[in-house]
Amino acid sequence: MKILHTADWHIGKRLHKHYLYKDFDLFIGWLCDLIHQEKIDVILVSGDVFDLANPSAEARKQYYQALIALKSLNCHLVITGGNHDSPSMLDAPKDLLQALEMTVIGGLPEKIEDCIIALPNQKNPEVIIAALPYLRDADVRLASEGNTYEDRLAAIREGIQARFDEAAAICKEKYPDIPAIAMGHLYAAGVSTSESERDIQIGNQAAFKAEQFSKYFSYVALGHIHQPQRVNAQVPTFYSGSPLMFSFSERKDEKRVLVIDTKQGFEPESFAIPPFRKLLKIAGNLEEVQDKLANLEHEGKLDTLVEVEMREQDYSTKKLAQLDDLISNYKKDNIEIIKYRAQFKNQQQQSSEVFGSRQNLEDLKPKEVFESLLEKEAYLPEEKQELLHTFDELKELLTTE
């Protein structure tokens, strides 16, 4: 049996107000070709199908179009929810999709047995999928409010491990001697991240140690981290990464999907996804930025997107105005500047307000704003830590439903 591992589609994602619908369409087209060529039997999508819990009509349409395209290839889809997804929204059509051999588990069901999927069927299973979605606080029984910050972190880690151990025990009991694959959407300790991931489980502080995954699993298919990478664990454990570049910090990543051939074992083969557009970051003083922009050449099927950062020694309103004019008047076919800013090494105090007004609000993470406010208040270190913890918990509650 051949199994393909992907994750973090983030349908409906915007890169600085630039929608990536065309990028996703090209990815699905490429994916369908690969599935046909490699004769894939099962597709695993490990969370964050959508970028928003309440996706737009266009994003939902694109999701269902992708499912139709993949279903036409006669492979079974197993889709789990991530921290960006609404469990109820993903689960709503699950009965209909189940009839089409598509298993969707948006949120952790009351009975964890409902996450255990025998493929190709229960009578003659060749592989068992423990399809665990993103585990929210209630799923891992977060410790009571009276516990310390460290106790809460430990409780989350223990809760995550307990859920995976429970799933492994069910697989072993119901389907002995059949290899099992676990799906998860979480933050594992020691991984490399990008700017486009949202913090989960108390601001990523409750990082799960992948060595704690049950050795019963033959492979662990993870989602949440957008940079593809192997995780240090007792069994092959991988983040497939996102199929598209969702921030300029990912512009040098090689995006990929992973394919397991169970006849050969559970070490996956990596298939690089071709970049459908280029993301470029242009930096330097005003003259250097002008030269680099003038020499840009378009590559790829879609428009090249550019981030510009002017770096100067001394603050200058004249150079700020010149940068504004340069960006406003820049016109080159298939090249679009979607973000720009200026940095001054010797910036004067009064200029900070001017520069601040030029910084896009979307460039700032909510936690960064909150931390800057805390710095202006006379809190003790332990009080700041507790306030940050409370902020992380509230933020996670707001992003669930």
Side-chain angles (χ1 to χ4, degrees):
M1 181 172 283
K2 279 193 169 185
I3 301 167
L4 185 144
H5 170 202
T6 179
D8 296 282
W9 287 0
H10 288 274
I11 303 173
K13 176 72 175 178
R14 291 188 301 174
L15 180 55
H16 301 291
K17 301 182 181 179
H18 189 104
Y19 281 104
L20 301 177
Y21 290 124
K22 292 181 180 179
D23 307 61
F24 185 75
D25 280 340
L26 288 172
F27 162 65
I28 290 297
W30 173 86
L31 185 64
C32 287
D33 290 341
L34 179 69
I35 290 167
H36 177 73
Q37 293 166 11
E38 294 297 317
K39 297 179 173 58
I40 301 297
D41 301 295
V42 179
I43 304 170
L44 307 180
V45 185
S46 295
D48 280 353
V49 177
F50 292 100
D51 192 56
L52 298 173
N54 185 24
S56 66
E58 179 66 23
R60 295 178 196 228
K61 178 181 177 182
Q62 196 166 39
Y63 169 57
Y64 291 117
Q65 287 176 333
L67 295 187
I68 291 170
L70 295 171
K71 172 56 187 170
S72 68
L73 298 167
N74 297 317
C75 52
H76 193 114
L77 270 80
V78 181
I79 299 171
T80 56
N83 59 299
H84 281 247
D85 296 312
S86 162
S88 58
M89 200 284 296
L90 275 185
D91 284 338
K94 69 184 302 180
D95 292 338
L96 175 60
L97 295 178
Q98 185 69 49
L100 299 173
E101 295 188 335
M102 300 180 189
T103 303
V104 179
I105 301 177
L108 190 71
E110 290 185 10
K111 295 181 180 179
I112 200 168
E113 289 90 343
D114 293 337
C115 292
I116 310 303
I117 306 154
L119 295 174
N121 54 64
Q122 290 187 342
K123 292 183 179 179
N124 299 294
E126 294 181 34
V127 67
I128 310 302
I129 309 295
L132 273 69
Y134 169 61
L135 299 174
R136 291 176 164 80
D137 290 355
D139 301 325
V140 295
R141 303 188 182 118
L142 188 62
S144 65
E145 294 180 4
N147 289 356
T148 67
Y149 180 74
E150 288 73 19
D151 287 341
R152 295 174 193 175
L153 296 180
I156 290 176
R157 296 188 191 104
E158 291 168 5
I160 293 172
Q161 183 177 0
R163 289 303 191 183
F164 280 93
D165 286 348
E166 187 180 355
I170 295 169
C171 292
K172 186 175 182 180
E173 179 184 352
K174 293 185 67 175
Y175 304 99
D177 303 320
I178 305 296
I181 291 176
M183 298 173 68
H185 192 89
L186 51 82
Y187 179 79
V191 299
S192 300
T193 64
S194 74
E195 295 174 354
S196 59
E197 294 119 7
R198 179 189 294 166
D199 289 352
I200 58 175
Q201 285 142 345
I202 310 188
N204 288 344
Q205 296 303 305
F208 183 73
K209 294 182 180 178
E211 294 94 333
Q212 295 172 276
F213 282 122
S214 173
K215 289 191 292 184
Y216 184 78
F217 295 120
S218 298
Y219 180 87
V220 181
L222 295 179
H224 178 58
I225 301 300
H226 295 174
Q227 188 177 103
Q229 57 199 287
R230 183 176 194 138
V231 180
N232 184 25
Q234 300 179 83
V235 299
T237 302
F238 286 82
Y239 284 103
S240 66
S242 59
L244 305 174
M245 294 177 286
F246 294 134
S247 76
F248 283 92
S249 68
E250 298 173 30
R251 65 189 185 278
K252 295 181 181 179
D253 291 353
E254 182 183 74
K255 300 300 183 178
R256 67 185 185 187
V257 297
L258 301 171
V259 174
I260 304 157
D261 186 345
T262 58
K263 292 181 181 179
Q264 306 297 324
F266 288 86
E267 283 291 335
E269 182 179 358
S270 176
F271 288 84
I273 303 169
F276 305 115
R277 73 163 82 243
K278 289 199 71 173
L279 299 186
L280 297 176
K281 185 171 182 177
I282 302 297
N285 60 34
L286 182 61
E287 290 73 22
E288 291 169 338
V289 166
Q290 287 175 319
D291 290 341
K292 290 177 181 179
L293 287 176
N295 293 319
L296 280 186
E297 296 292 338
H298 170 253
E299 295 179 35
K301 294 183 178 180
L302 301 175
D303 288 357
T304 297
L305 304 181
V306 182
E307 176 184 16
V308 173
E309 184 175 296
M310 183 180 74
R311 299 170 182 170
E312 295 283 353
Q313 283 290 115
D314 300 315
Y315 176 76
S316 168
T317 55
K318 181 179 179 181
K319 288 190 175 180
L320 279 174
Q322 289 175 320
L323 177 64
D324 283 341
D325 289 341
L326 174 63
I327 301 303
S328 299
N329 297 321
Y330 185 79
K331 288 182 175 60
K332 217 167 194 182
D333 290 344
N334 305 117
I335 297 177
E336 181 181 355
I337 300 172
I338 62 171
K339 178 183 176 184
Y340 74 100
R341 57 187 167 194
Q343 286 190 353
F344 301 100
K345 187 175 181 180
N346 302 322
Q347 187 167 326
Q348 299 173 6
Q349 182 66 36
Q350 65 268 25
S351 72
S352 61
E353 296 179 4
V354 177
F355 181 62
S357 68
R358 294 172 182 274
Q359 190 168 19
N360 295 327
L361 184 60
E362 65 190 40
D363 293 342
L364 299 175
K365 294 183 178 180
K367 192 170 182 179
E368 291 175 340
V369 177
F370 188 68
E371 286 174 336
S372 67
L373 290 173
L374 286 183
E375 290 299 321
K376 297 177 182 179
E377 303 294 335
Y379 290 113
L380 295 173
E382 57 270 22
E383 291 175 328
K384 287 184 179 180
Q385 185 185 56
E386 188 64 26
L387 285 168
L388 285 169
H389 165 66
T390 303
F391 175 86
D392 288 328
E393 287 185 323
L394 290 171
K395 183 167 172 281
E396 186 161 325
L397 285 172
L398 288 172
T399 57
T400 53
E401 284 291 338

PDB file of all heavy atoms in Angstrom, residues 379-390:
ATOM      1  N   TYR A 379       5.537  45.359  36.329  1.00  0.00           N
ATOM      2  CA  TYR A 379       5.207  44.036  36.841  1.00  0.00           C
ATOM      3  C   TYR A 379       6.476  43.288  37.249  1.00  0.00           C
ATOM      4  O   TYR A 379       7.547  43.451  36.649  1.00  0.00           O
ATOM      5  CB  TYR A 379       4.476  43.220  35.768  1.00  0.00           C
ATOM      6  CG  TYR A 379       3.077  43.699  35.471  1.00  0.00           C
ATOM      7  CD1 TYR A 379       2.768  44.246  34.228  1.00  0.00           C
ATOM      8  CD2 TYR A 379       2.068  43.597  36.422  1.00  0.00           C
ATOM      9  CE1 TYR A 379       1.487  44.697  33.935  1.00  0.00           C
ATOM     10  CE2 TYR A 379       0.777  44.035  36.142  1.00  0.00           C
ATOM     11  CZ  TYR A 379       0.494  44.580  34.900  1.00  0.00           C
ATOM     12  OH  TYR A 379      -0.768  45.020  34.621  1.00  0.00           O
ATOM     13  N   LEU A 380       6.341  42.426  38.259  1.00  0.00           N
ATOM     14  CA  LEU A 380       7.433  41.536  38.620  1.00  0.00           C
ATOM     15  C   LEU A 380       7.573  40.470  37.534  1.00  0.00           C
ATOM     16  O   LEU A 380       6.601  40.154  36.823  1.00  0.00           O
ATOM     17  CB  LEU A 380       7.152  40.867  39.968  1.00  0.00           C
ATOM     18  CG  LEU A 380       7.103  41.807  41.183  1.00  0.00           C
ATOM     19  CD1 LEU A 380       6.647  41.040  42.421  1.00  0.00           C
ATOM     20  CD2 LEU A 380       8.468  42.438  41.421  1.00  0.00           C
ATOM     21  N   PRO A 381       8.771  39.857  37.363  1.00  0.00           N
ATOM     22  CA  PRO A 381       8.966  38.838  36.314  1.00  0.00           C
ATOM     23  C   PRO A 381       7.946  37.710  36.378  1.00  0.00           C
ATOM     24  O   PRO A 381       7.427  37.269  35.345  1.00  0.00           O
ATOM     25  CB  PRO A 381      10.387  38.336  36.578  1.00  0.00           C
ATOM     26  CG  PRO A 381      11.078  39.488  37.227  1.00  0.00           C
ATOM     27  CD  PRO A 381      10.033  40.159  38.062  1.00  0.00           C
ATOM     28  N   GLU A 382       7.649  37.223  37.614  1.00  0.00           N
ATOM     29  CA  GLU A 382       6.694  36.121  37.718  1.00  0.00           C
ATOM     30  C   GLU A 382       5.273  36.568  37.361  1.00  0.00           C
ATOM     31  O   GLU A 382       4.469  35.800  36.823  1.00  0.00           O
ATOM     32  CB  GLU A 382       6.708  35.510  39.121  1.00  0.00           C
ATOM     33  CG  GLU A 382       6.427  36.489  40.262  1.00  0.00           C
ATOM     34  CD  GLU A 382       7.704  37.137  40.811  1.00  0.00           C
ATOM     35  OE1 GLU A 382       8.716  37.170  40.072  1.00  0.00           O
ATOM     36  OE2 GLU A 382       7.682  37.569  41.969  1.00  0.00           O
ATOM     37  N   GLU A 383       4.964  37.855  37.611  1.00  0.00           N
ATOM     38  CA  GLU A 383       3.653  38.379  37.236  1.00  0.00           C
ATOM     39  C   GLU A 383       3.533  38.483  35.719  1.00  0.00           C
ATOM     40  O   GLU A 383       2.480  38.173  35.129  1.00  0.00           O
ATOM     41  CB  GLU A 383       3.430  39.755  37.871  1.00  0.00           C
ATOM     42  CG  GLU A 383       3.265  39.710  39.386  1.00  0.00           C
ATOM     43  CD  GLU A 383       3.169  41.098  40.006  1.00  0.00           C
ATOM     44  OE1 GLU A 383       3.797  42.038  39.467  1.00  0.00           O
ATOM     45  OE2 GLU A 383       2.473  41.241  41.016  1.00  0.00           O
ATOM     46  N   LYS A 384       4.611  38.904  35.057  1.00  0.00           N
ATOM     47  CA  LYS A 384       4.607  38.983  33.593  1.00  0.00           C
ATOM     48  C   LYS A 384       4.421  37.600  32.983  1.00  0.00           C
ATOM     49  O   LYS A 384       3.679  37.436  32.010  1.00  0.00           O
ATOM     50  CB  LYS A 384       5.910  39.609  33.096  1.00  0.00           C
ATOM     51  CG  LYS A 384       6.009  41.105  33.336  1.00  0.00           C
ATOM     52  CD  LYS A 384       7.279  41.670  32.718  1.00  0.00           C
ATOM     53  CE  LYS A 384       7.368  43.181  32.933  1.00  0.00           C
ATOM     54  NZ  LYS A 384       8.583  43.765  32.339  1.00  0.00           N
ATOM     55  N   GLN A 385       5.108  36.609  33.557  1.00  0.00           N
ATOM     56  CA  GLN A 385       4.992  35.250  33.028  1.00  0.00           C
ATOM     57  C   GLN A 385       3.557  34.739  33.150  1.00  0.00           C
ATOM     58  O   GLN A 385       3.022  34.133  32.222  1.00  0.00           O
ATOM     59  CB  GLN A 385       5.943  34.305  33.763  1.00  0.00           C
ATOM     60  CG  GLN A 385       5.962  32.892  33.175  1.00  0.00           C
ATOM     61  CD  GLN A 385       6.817  31.954  33.985  1.00  0.00           C
ATOM     62  OE1 GLN A 385       6.605  31.782  35.175  1.00  0.00           O
ATOM     63  NE2 GLN A 385       7.811  31.354  33.344  1.00  0.00           N
ATOM     64  N   GLU A 386       2.918  35.016  34.279  1.00  0.00           N
ATOM     65  CA  GLU A 386       1.550  34.569  34.480  1.00  0.00           C
ATOM     66  C   GLU A 386       0.589  35.287  33.529  1.00  0.00           C
ATOM     67  O   GLU A 386      -0.346  34.684  32.980  1.00  0.00           O
ATOM     68  CB  GLU A 386       1.137  34.811  35.935  1.00  0.00           C
ATOM     69  CG  GLU A 386      -0.213  34.197  36.303  1.00  0.00           C
ATOM     70  CD  GLU A 386      -0.209  32.675  36.216  1.00  0.00           C
ATOM     71  OE1 GLU A 386       0.877  32.072  36.362  1.00  0.00           O
ATOM     72  OE2 GLU A 386      -1.285  32.100  36.001  1.00  0.00           O
ATOM     73  N   LEU A 387       0.807  36.583  33.310  1.00  0.00           N
ATOM     74  CA  LEU A 387      -0.032  37.327  32.376  1.00  0.00           C
ATOM     75  C   LEU A 387       0.134  36.818  30.944  1.00  0.00           C
ATOM     76  O   LEU A 387      -0.835  36.722  30.190  1.00  0.00           O
ATOM     77  CB  LEU A 387       0.304  38.821  32.452  1.00  0.00           C
ATOM     78  CG  LEU A 387      -0.223  39.565  33.690  1.00  0.00           C
ATOM     79  CD1 LEU A 387       0.412  40.949  33.787  1.00  0.00           C
ATOM     80  CD2 LEU A 387      -1.747  39.684  33.631  1.00  0.00           C
ATOM     81  N   LEU A 388       1.386  36.496  30.563  1.00  0.00           N
ATOM     82  CA  LEU A 388       1.624  35.943  29.225  1.00  0.00           C
ATOM     83  C   LEU A 388       0.947  34.593  29.070  1.00  0.00           C
ATOM     84  O   LEU A 388       0.390  34.274  28.009  1.00  0.00           O
ATOM     85  CB  LEU A 388       3.129  35.824  28.970  1.00  0.00           C
ATOM     86  CG  LEU A 388       3.861  37.133  28.682  1.00  0.00           C
ATOM     87  CD1 LEU A 388       5.366  36.905  28.710  1.00  0.00           C
ATOM     88  CD2 LEU A 388       3.445  37.701  27.330  1.00  0.00           C
ATOM     89  N   HIS A 389       0.992  33.791  30.117  1.00  0.00           N
ATOM     90  CA  HIS A 389       0.331  32.488  30.085  1.00  0.00           C
ATOM     91  C   HIS A 389      -1.177  32.663  29.902  1.00  0.00           C
ATOM     92  O   HIS A 389      -1.810  31.992  29.075  1.00  0.00           O
ATOM     93  CB  HIS A 389       0.624  31.735  31.377  1.00  0.00           C
ATOM     94  CG  HIS A 389      -0.280  30.558  31.603  1.00  0.00           C
ATOM     95  ND1 HIS A 389      -0.263  29.449  30.787  1.00  0.00           N
ATOM     96  CD2 HIS A 389      -1.235  30.326  32.540  1.00  0.00           C
ATOM     97  CE1 HIS A 389      -1.158  28.588  31.213  1.00  0.00           C
ATOM     98  NE2 HIS A 389      -1.773  29.095  32.276  1.00  0.00           N
ATOM     99  N   THR A 390      -1.767  33.591  30.661  1.00  0.00           N
ATOM    100  CA  THR A 390      -3.200  33.856  30.546  1.00  0.00           C
ATOM    101  C   THR A 390      -3.557  34.353  29.139  1.00  0.00           C
ATOM    102  O   THR A 390      -4.566  33.962  28.552  1.00  0.00           O
ATOM    103  CB  THR A 390      -3.633  34.896  31.594  1.00  0.00           C
ATOM    104  OG1 THR A 390      -3.287  34.418  32.894  1.00  0.00           O
ATOM    105  CG2 THR A 390      -5.141  35.144  31.530  1.00  0.00           C
TER     106      THR A 390
END
